[in-house]
Amino acid sequence: MSELILVIEDEPTLRDVLSYNLRKEGYRVEVAADGAEGLEKARRLRPDLIVLDVMLPQMDGFELARRLRPEITAPILMLTARTDEVDRVVGLEVGADDYILKPFSMRELQARIKAHLRRLQMLQASAASTGSLPREFVFGNLVIGVERREVLLNGQPLHLKPKEYDLLLFFARHPRRILSRDYILEQVWGWQYFGDSRTVDVHVRWLREKIEPDPSHPVRIVTVRGGGYRFEG
Ligand code: CA
């Protein structure tokens, strides 16, 4: 069965254009016209990916994403009309996986959706055949449990958001290597088509706050001037 995409957008014309084009691409599409309906459908239908507009009646996209994020693993791709919303969109309180600025082309949106869904399939495939990954990584007092996606610091579980975990696991698999922001973006977020390295920086900052003894003087995730980041373990 093809993947199910939930489109939450209050503007009827854009909603129709989106669902028409996504169906043409072979996806199953459900739509919601406001935040409350979006929340209800996301919970009930368990879509594979959610396209979520920021400005919505009833409950805006920020609030909706914030409520949904802990409940679902589906990628949330937010539509925003303002660049100054971007930090909030990918921010800790909202936790969208990606955003696209209005106005956008259908081709761009479809490319982004395809990249997210492909990445999801790869994750599921690698979870199914864990042969290539060790069951856990141990870096001193930091333990990353791969099967349960669990991270322990000094024996205490850390609450990491899905992308923080993905990023940490990626670092763990490439210790002491200089990793450029673009490479990290491509490997962890799967954005072959569009890169915004601020996303990487923001997530590195959050990870540091959780795993560094002193986040203002990081020793585990080190910034390499002009290069990117290096995970020291
Ligand atoms: Ca809107």
Side-chain angles (χ1 to χ4, degrees), residues 2 5 19 33 92 103 108-111 123 167 179 213 227:
S2 61
I5 297 177
S19 60
L92 184 60
E108 188 187 0
L109 180 75
Q110 282 168 349
L123 272 182
L167 178 61
L179 302 163

Side-chain angles (χ1 to χ4, degrees), residues 9-11 53-57 102:
E9 166 63 69
D10 60 318
E11 205 217 309
D53 188 32
V54 168
M55 296 301 286
L56 290 171
K102 290 179 171 180

Side-chain angles (χ1 to χ4, degrees), residues 97-231:
D97 296 88
D98 198 356
Y99 64 89
I100 193 162
L101 278 171
K102 290 179 171 180
F104 53 85
S105 69
M106 271 313 295
R107 181 193 285 224
E108 188 187 0
L109 180 75
Q110 282 168 349
R112 216 78 74 72
I113 286 175
K114 204 174 276 181
H116 280 287
L117 291 174
R118 191 172 51 227
R119 195 183 150 272
L120 210 62
Q121 285 170 351
M122 282 165 56
L123 272 182
Q124 283 160 356
S126 76
S129 66
T130 46
S132 58
L133 267 185
R135 294 159 71 94
E136 65 176 26
F137 291 90
V138 180
F139 300 97
N141 60 355
L142 181 70
V143 178
I144 305 166
V146 173
E147 281 177 353
R148 297 178 58 194
R149 290 175 67 86
E150 184 181 61
V151 179
L152 301 175
L153 184 68
N154 296 317
Q156 298 297 313
L158 286 182
H159 298 287
L160 297 189
K161 298 161 64 56
K163 274 292 175 294
E164 292 172 356
Y165 175 84
D166 293 343
L167 178 61
L168 181 60
L169 183 62
F170 180 70
F171 278 135
R173 295 175 69 183
H174 303 87
R176 287 171 291 282
R177 267 181 57 188
I178 297 175
L179 302 163
S180 74
R181 290 175 177 79
D182 284 346
Y183 184 62
I184 294 171
L185 203 56
E186 184 190 307
Q187 294 294 310
V188 178
W189 277 264
W191 296 359
Q192 282 92 339
Y193 305 93
F194 175 89
D196 185 341
S197 59
R198 274 180 301 178
T199 304
V200 176
D201 296 335
V202 168
H203 282 77
V204 165
R205 196 170 73 230
W206 295 334
L207 264 184
R208 281 173 171 164
E209 280 161 14
K210 294 179 179 175
I211 67 168
E212 292 282 355
D214 175 4
S216 55
H217 298 95
V219 292
R220 298 201 121 126
I221 305 173
V222 176
T223 303
V224 181
R225 189 176 285 269
Y229 295 104
R230 190 176 62 234
F231 183 62

